[in-house]
Amino acid sequence: MTPYKNRFLTLLLLAGTLLPAAAQVEVAVLPEKDAPERSARYDVSVRAMEETTWHSLPVLRCDVNTRRVQQSAYAEFDMGGTVVVRVRSNEHDTYNPVVRPSARRIRTRRIDARTVEFTLTEPAYLSLEQDGDREHNLHILANSLLTERHTADEPQNIVWEAPNSQDVFVRNPRLIYFGPGVHRPKDLPGGDIKVPSNCTVYLAPGAVVKARLIVDHAENVRIVGRGILDHPLRGVEITYSRNVTVDGITVLNPAHYTIFGGESEGIVVRNVKAFSARSWTDGIDLMCCRRVKVENCFLRTSDDCIALYNHRWWYWGGTSDIDVGHCVFWPDVAHPVNIGSHGDDRNPEGETLRHVRIHDCDILMGKEEGLLAINCGDGNHIRDVRFDRLRIEGIERGRLFDLRVIWSEKYNRAPGHCIDSITFADITVDQPSADILRPSRIDHYDADRRVGHVAFERVLLGGRKFDEQRDIQP
């Protein structure tokens, strides 16, 4: 297999008169056959700031919104130093172009009736929208430069060309390498790839893997690179495992979750991008997991972006120490953050979900009853949850906060125990969204199963301070 390093376009140039500083752009060359479908809606190119030559990016289709599936698009590249991005619409003139998240304060420059440019000084995950159209938009995924690289000739590895089940389930490799090209392991059970302990799975730029990666009863596993998991049953499944990292990959339209964790600990999910347009296609779902860090991810989903639960199915033991930060969430359907629905109803003491922080994130859409939802059922105790420095825009309907001790006929077999010590701090909702918000909700189940201390600190709705008397449903 040809090493991926020859499949890159790399630009090096001096930045001004400073030596030896350089700006760098890396673009993966995707396979032409059997790869994700190209989108003809946009042409996208990028150049380093002081370069004059533009370099074309692959523009791929990504479906969004399961209730009415629409064809959106995305383009991805790596950058080190300031770059200029140029986007041309191939369908109509460009009207009122907007780059979100708005907090990035990126301004476009019109080149002609169908073409705009903008400058990026640092990596970012963005949406370019024309005239308010958020379902046929262009996503720009500008990663930091890839620093970890592997090749096909490293020792004790599997080079994925024509695999069979013995290769994967009997050998114990240190490296599973997917080079540029399409990989479809048809002869494996369920089209799944089981990753053993002490192994790195590397998806090189330009690699397209049509399979689910399963980490089960394993430890010290790393799934890294810039490749794509294309229409898997799930993207990455981590169960009964510890010390697992997923970094840099993109997941396109899984049948269910993008990343699933069950009864595992020491998980890191970083720089993961995902798009989905099917039922139950959540972003990251964690059930009875501990010590988890999610950072710098972009999740556009047709169900919850982040869901944190206690017991469900075959996973037990409660949830704790979850840190989610510097992410962009865009749920076309359901919640940006959903906490607490499932738990161990058979245990009179229940299970505890605690020590959770969601911070420094942008939420680009809201259509659900609770954008930030804690619905405590199945005997759960939910304590010490903090939401801070969140920027919310694009709400079409719904409530900002939804905290309830509940017994849901659809999801629970028993009511929850309590919600306590919850903080919402430094949260802003943009002006158009604030005008259509329904009142937030804080509901007890009964005199013994209640919502305890909830603090609101510097919460602004369209510039107006959140008022507990006015903005919480009686």
Side-chain angles (χ1 to χ4, degrees):
M1 181 176 293
T2 303
Y4 74 88
K5 62 184 178 182
N6 295 326
R7 303 269 184 138
F8 275 109
L9 176 63
T10 302
L11 312 175
L12 294 175
L13 60 117
L14 293 179
T17 59
L18 298 179
L19 295 175
Q24 186 174 351
V25 175
E26 294 183 343
V27 180
V29 178
L30 293 174
E32 295 294 333
K33 184 178 179 182
D34 203 26
E37 182 179 336
R38 303 293 179 106
S39 172
R41 181 168 284 121
Y42 301 98
D43 290 330
V44 184
S45 55
V46 63
R47 65 174 174 84
M49 184 66 178
E50 298 189 12
E51 181 60 75
T52 58
T53 303
W54 292 94
H55 302 275
S56 179
L57 302 181
V59 181
L60 301 184
R61 167 182 167 179
C62 55
D63 291 346
V64 298
N65 193 358
T66 186
R67 290 175 179 164
R68 188 186 63 168
V69 176
Q70 301 293 306
Q71 293 184 14
S72 187
Y74 81 94
E76 183 172 10
F77 64 97
D78 289 6
M79 61 178 284
T82 300
V83 302
V84 181
V85 180
R86 175 176 287 181
V87 178
R88 177 175 175 79
S89 172
N90 292 323
E91 295 187 340
H92 50 69
D93 291 352
T94 301
Y95 299 102
N96 303 317
V98 173
V99 177
R100 298 194 302 144
S102 299
R104 290 280 184 173
R105 300 186 183 279
I106 295 172
R107 299 291 180 260
T108 60
R109 302 180 293 275
R110 184 178 296 277
I111 305 305
D112 58 39
R114 293 194 173 190
T115 308
V116 297
E117 291 180 6
F118 58 89
T119 300
L120 283 181
T121 59
E122 60 184 1
Y125 301 143
L126 307 169
S127 170
L128 174 61
E129 301 158 11
Q130 301 181 49
D131 213 22
D133 186 349
R134 294 172 179 168
E135 293 189 329
H136 306 96
N137 62 312
L138 173 70
H139 305 84
I140 301 290
L141 307 179
N143 303 296
S144 58
L145 290 174
L146 183 61
T147 57
E148 178 176 352
R149 304 179 186 276
H150 297 276
T151 62
D153 56 0
E154 293 181 32
Q156 295 188 32
N157 73 343
I158 294 176
V159 177
W160 209 269
E161 291 177 331
N164 59 60
S165 57
Q166 285 187 335
D167 284 335
V168 176
F169 290 94
V170 176
R171 292 180 61 186
N172 186 30
R174 292 191 308 191
L175 173 70
I176 299 175
Y177 174 86
F178 294 97
V182 177
H183 309 271
R184 187 192 298 272
K186 295 180 180 178
D187 52 346
L188 297 181
D192 298 330
I193 297 171
K194 188 173 180 180
V195 183
S197 292
N198 306 307
C199 179
T200 294
V201 181
Y202 182 67
L203 282 69
V208 178
V209 180
K210 296 178 179 287
R212 169 174 56 167
L213 303 180
I214 298 177
V215 182
D216 180 61
H217 290 88
E219 63 181 3
N220 306 323
V221 169
R222 302 173 66 256
I223 299 168
V224 298
R226 289 288 186 267
I228 298 170
L229 295 180
D230 186 22
H231 287 68
L233 176 61
R234 288 184 181 133
V236 180
E237 187 170 310
I238 305 166
T239 53
Y240 308 110
S241 296
R242 58 184 298 174
N243 299 335
V244 179
T245 295
V246 184
D247 190 340
I249 65 173
T250 299
V251 182
L252 287 181
N253 214 16
H256 292 291
Y257 310 138
T258 297
I259 295 178
F260 170 67
E263 205 169 325
S264 297
E265 63 178 316
I267 299 173
V268 175
V269 181
R270 181 186 297 121
N271 304 320
V272 169
K273 293 79 62 180
F275 302 94
S276 66
R278 306 191 204 182
S279 299
W280 306 296
T281 51
D282 294 20
I284 300 172
D285 273 38
L286 304 174
M287 302 173 188
C288 293
C289 291
R290 294 158 294 282
R291 295 193 300 108
V292 179
K293 188 174 186 64
V294 178
E295 61 180 351
N296 200 42
C297 294
F298 179 93
L299 303 175
R300 184 167 187 180
T301 59
S302 282
D303 212 314
D304 301 331
C305 292
I306 296 285
L308 307 177
Y309 303 137
N310 283 331
H311 162 70
R312 197 181 190 193
W313 301 328
W314 309 277
Y315 311 107
W316 312 82
T319 295
S320 65
D321 301 298
I322 312 294
D323 185 285
V324 179
H326 307 286
C327 294
V328 179
F329 298 139
W330 187 337
D332 288 296
V333 178
H335 310 80
V337 180
N338 186 19
I339 296 175
S341 297
H342 306 289
D344 183 5
D345 63 288
R346 299 177 180 87
N347 181 352
E349 300 301 319
E351 291 180 325
T352 299
L353 191 156
R354 62 185 176 184
H355 304 320
V356 175
R357 187 183 179 202
I358 314 290
H359 62 98
D360 298 286
C361 295
D362 292 281
I363 296 173
L364 300 190
M365 179 62 75
K367 295 184 178 181
E368 191 61 39
E369 279 296 285
L371 277 74
L372 306 177
I374 302 178
N375 293 163
C376 179
D378 283 344
N380 283 330
H381 302 258
I382 301 177
R383 296 191 173 96
D384 189 18
V385 179
R386 182 178 179 87
F387 300 86
D388 65 89
R389 285 177 284 173
L390 305 183
R391 299 162 295 276
I392 302 172
E393 55 186 293
I395 296 174
E396 292 188 357
R397 62 178 181 273
R399 307 177 195 271
L400 179 55
F401 308 126
D402 184 21
L403 279 64
R404 290 180 289 158
V405 180
I406 61 170
W407 185 354
S408 166
E409 293 182 1
K410 184 176 182 179
Y411 295 113
N412 305 130
R413 288 182 295 228
H417 274 294
C418 70
I419 299 172
D420 193 28
S421 299
I422 312 298
T423 301
F424 299 97
D426 297 299
I427 295 174
T428 60
V429 180
D430 67 7
Q431 182 66 52
S433 300
D435 292 340
I436 58 175
L437 275 174
R438 299 177 64 190
S440 292
R441 184 162 49 185
I442 298 179
D443 288 349
H444 315 290
Y445 183 75
D446 57 26
D448 298 318
R449 299 171 183 266
R450 300 179 57 82
V451 179
H453 178 71
V454 181
F456 300 94
E457 303 170 2
R458 300 174 299 282
V459 177
L460 299 178
L461 307 181
R464 174 180 63 81
K465 184 178 178 180
F466 183 84
D467 184 335
E468 294 183 45
Q469 299 298 319
R470 170 181 174 180
D471 296 314
I472 296 177
Q473 179 176 294

